[in-house]
Amino acid sequence: MTGALLISSVSAQAEISEQKAIDLARKIYFRMTGTPLREGALREQMSTLVRQEKFVEAAELASQSPGFINNTMRLFSSSMNNQSQNTRDITLTESMAYIMLIARENRPFSDILTGRDFPTINGQGTDCFDPTTGVRCDLSNATTLGSSTANRTVASQVPNNVASGIYTMRGFGNAAFMAGTNRRALQQTFNQLFCLSNENMKSDISDISYIGRDVSRAPDGDPTTSGAFEQECRKCHSVMDGLRGAFAFMDADGGGQLTYRANGQDNGVAAKYSRAADVYPDGYRTVDDRWEVTFDRDPAMMAKLGWPSGMLGGNGVASFATAISETRQFYACMVQKVIDTVCPNDPNNKEKGKGYMLDPTVVLPPIVTKFKENRNIRDVFAEIVVRPECLGR
Ligand code: HEC
């Protein structure tokens, strides 16, 4: 008698009631699409899957709705595509539309770095917004957002054979290459594609021989090991300046066009690479688009990035972007961005630090490993959004 009672109460607890299933389906749907789940066939299908504890399947179903691309992917990709690195800056850019396209088509997500095509928007102009009606166009629709490999005449002047995903598109590209010294392209790579702060770009022991001529070796007047150059400048610039050659032919003009081998001196190297060369004339002079990993002698840095040991140098932006697409940290960072997008932070977990809601040593590594293998961003969303820690189920 007691035993039977116990069993029935256990199974009653494990079973998801109809109302609870509808509530969970609505929560999953809203987080996946940014829109409410209305009564109807889809709600029926999703809550049935939830009752069968097929949570991931329910989330995959939600991802077929236009809101997944138009709202969620737009928000997810926003900070990667503007100089402020602000997630609230959702102004549509070329690189953002490309990320949305890759997600919609279930293409390998590494294409955002290495793809040779570019997005095309038919209809309401490149901003995909009709100011008279206030309506945004539907980028989940394949006739509106398409792809082309035809030579670009408007989007940028980067030739197709060196095109390399968002690195050679407006949006990410403008933020990376406008003015400056193209080091910002690396800052963006670290901050936005590795989710690492500038402080985390530092290596104490990487090779300093590629540091540019514009970086003072004695900014405080002290060229010894106790000086600011040794204590600060070299730690970032040794890492960045070795890689910066990858973008030597890249520039962005004031009008938002990307250029390649334009305004160049030195065999096409952008003029900005020789800016302030008199600060330290013995520094590294960029003469081509060669890039070198200078931190291969720093095992901690190599491990932190999960940098592929067979890709320690190359020529040009496309080979650089390929190396980034082979790092583990790129995939870890994208998983983190998915968490930021669909998994609200629990204030009770705040003291454990950002992202710790999903255990970074137990829960996340298998998700990252799987993503690096199958490269499907939609699957990562579906897996993360239904995690018990996120959904509160
Ligand atoms: C925490 C990492 C870091 C440290 C430390 C650092 N830098 Fe930089 N530096 C950067 C980044 C990132 C950029 C590119 C910024 C941009 O273009 O927006 C940059 C750009 C520069 C530039 C080019 C400025 C321009 O006009 O675009 C010079 C020169 C420079 N740094 C010198 C120094 C000197 C000298 C020190 C030491 C006193 C130093 N940096 C320390 C990260 C660092």
Side-chain angles (χ1 to χ4, degrees), residues 94-113:
E94 186 189 23
S95 55
M96 206 190 223
Y98 191 59
I99 296 173
M100 293 160 83
L101 174 81
I102 301 296
R104 192 191 71 201
E105 301 294 308
N106 295 318
R107 281 169 56 179
F109 198 67
S110 47
D111 277 9
I112 76 159
L113 304 177

Side-chain angles (χ1 to χ4, degrees), residues 190 202-210 238-240 242-243 290-313:
F190 276 71
K202 289 179 170 174
S203 166
D204 291 351
I205 53 175
S206 59
D207 180 5
I208 64 169
S209 38
Y210 295 93
S238 57
V239 172
M240 280 191 302
L243 302 173
R290 180 81 198 161
W291 58 273
E292 303 282 352
V293 166
T294 55
F295 47 88
D296 54 331
R297 56 175 73 174
D298 184 344
M301 187 78 167
M302 290 293 280
K304 178 161 70 181
L305 304 181
W307 193 280
S309 57
M311 294 182 156
L312 299 178

Side-chain angles (χ1 to χ4, degrees), residues 83 176 178-187 198-202 214-217 219-220 228-229 231-237 240 275-276 279:
Q83 199 174 321
M178 192 76 86
T181 52
N182 284 2
R183 292 177 176 106
R184 204 182 311 113
L186 294 157
Q187 179 176 258
N198 288 355
E199 231 12 66
N200 268 307
M201 295 168 76
K202 289 179 170 174
D214 56 344
V215 176
S216 170
R217 297 328 193 248
D220 55 354
F229 175 77
Q231 296 300 316
E232 278 297 317
C233 322
R234 67 166 282 172
K235 294 180 182 174
C236 286
H237 281 274
M240 280 191 302
R275 202 206 283 168
V279 170

